[in-house]
Amino acid sequence: MKDPVCGMEVSEKNETTVYKGQKFHFCCASCKWAFEKNPEQFVKT
Ligand SMILES: [Zn+2]
């Protein structure tokens, strides 16, 4: 999986969040925070 914020490869065990029924994984809490602040910026539809 890929961190949608920074593009790093991340494992299932890392920070996660669910947005519009899709699960996203993050390398760290700050990437998760950035995503949750503005998910539309990182989600490609
Ligand atoms: Zn990251």
Side-chain angles (χ1 to χ4, degrees):
M1 356 226 97
K2 256 187 176 179
D3 183 326
V5 176
C6 68
M8 257 179 67
E9 290 289 333
V10 289
S11 83
E12 295 252 10
K13 288 179 182 176
N14 280 62
E15 301 272 351
T16 61
T17 196
V18 175
Y19 177 69
K20 289 186 176 173
Q22 231 188 313
K23 206 171 184 184
F24 295 91
H25 299 256
F26 305 95
C27 66
C28 59
S30 69
C31 280
K32 184 183 175 184
W33 180 84
F35 181 89
E36 285 175 344
K37 199 180 160 201
N38 193 7
E40 296 292 337
Q41 190 185 325
F42 302 106
V43 176
K44 291 172 189 82
T45 47

